[in-house]
Amino acid sequence: MNQDFTHFDNKGNAVMVDVSEKPVTSRTATATGSILVCEEIMQTVQNGTAKKGDVLGVARVAGIMGVKQTSSLIPLCHTLLIQKCSIDFELEPENRRINATCTVQCSGQTGVEMEALTGVSTALLTIYDMCKAIDKTMVISDIHLVEKAGGRSGHFVYKEI
């Protein structure tokens, strides 16, 4: 079996990676993604007039909750004690795009990339949920890891292909 796939043993069985011998280090990861919306949704979000409430405020809390639940959603993720999490939004009205960014930090034996990706995904899905009564043609896209620091693999910064 190819050992580049760390979540499989030598017989091809799925396993949770053994991190017991790894040192505890500071870990940080940032992920981003976007949702394309119609003009009416953009205006509703900007003006804070959604019938379900503060779209970005609720999406921020949902993203943080998603970060905290990552190990329950992704089968082979370790449970981590998250020390800091932020969800930020940037509105691009001219492109009808809402960008979300999630940054997660912890001290641990494994990274927080999956937590950052789950946080940004959950935030974007929450925007969709809160606005779907207006228009269901929203498109969530471009979810990816932007940067990660800490651990054996070191520092990673996304570079466009």
Side-chain angles (χ1 to χ4, degrees), residues 79-94:
T79 302
L80 299 174
L81 181 60
I82 303 301
Q83 294 165 321
K84 184 177 181 187
C85 175
S86 64
I87 308 279
D88 296 303
F89 299 100
E90 175 192 11
L91 277 61
E92 294 181 27
E94 67 281 2

Side-chain angles (χ1 to χ4, degrees), residues 124-149:
L124 293 169
L125 287 166
T126 300
I127 293 170
Y128 187 99
D129 180 54
M130 292 190 70
C131 297
K132 67 184 183 229
I134 298 170
D135 181 38
K136 293 176 181 50
T137 64
M138 293 171 276
V139 176
I140 295 171
S141 64
D142 302 322
I143 296 170
H144 64 278
L145 184 66
V146 174
E147 185 173 11
K148 79 115 195 142

Side-chain angles (χ1 to χ4, degrees), residues 3-160:
Q3 289 306 306
D4 289 341
F5 294 105
T6 58
H7 286 86
F8 295 98
D9 65 16
N10 58 8
K11 295 178 185 172
N13 299 310
V15 295
M16 182 178 268
V17 175
D18 180 2
V19 297
S20 62
E21 300 299 318
K22 292 172 79 176
V24 172
T25 61
S26 178
R27 315 282 186 137
T28 303
T30 300
T32 191
S34 63
I35 185 166
L36 294 175
V37 300
C38 69
E39 183 64 34
E40 184 180 356
I41 289 174
M42 183 59 74
Q43 290 297 317
T44 299
V45 170
Q46 285 181 302
N47 298 331
T49 56
K51 290 182 181 175
K52 288 187 176 184
D54 176 9
V55 173
L56 299 183
V58 173
R60 180 175 285 110
V61 172
I64 293 168
M65 291 175 67
V67 165
K68 293 169 32 174
Q69 292 298 315
T70 300
S71 65
S72 296
L73 299 169
I74 310 297
L76 302 178
C77 275
H78 292 84
T79 302
L80 299 174
L81 181 60
I82 303 301
Q83 294 165 321
K84 184 177 181 187
C85 175
S86 64
I87 308 279
D88 296 303
F89 299 100
E90 175 192 11
L91 277 61
E92 294 181 27
E94 67 281 2
N95 298 320
R96 298 184 348 263
R97 178 186 304 269
I98 301 170
N99 301 307
T101 302
C102 177
T103 300
V104 181
Q105 294 177 317
C106 81
S107 292
Q109 294 170 294
T110 190
V112 288
E113 299 94 53
M114 294 308 300
E115 286 73 11
L117 289 161
T118 300
V120 80
S121 299
T122 305
L124 293 169
L125 287 166
T126 300
I127 293 170
Y128 187 99
D129 180 54
M130 292 190 70
C131 297
K132 67 184 183 229
I134 298 170
D135 181 38
K136 293 176 181 50
T137 64
M138 293 171 276
V139 176
I140 295 171
S141 64
D142 302 322
I143 296 170
H144 64 278
L145 184 66
V146 174
E147 185 173 11
K148 79 115 195 142
R152 183 175 35 180
S153 65
H155 191 223
F156 165 85
V157 177
Y158 176 81
K159 292 181 178 69
E160 295 233 10

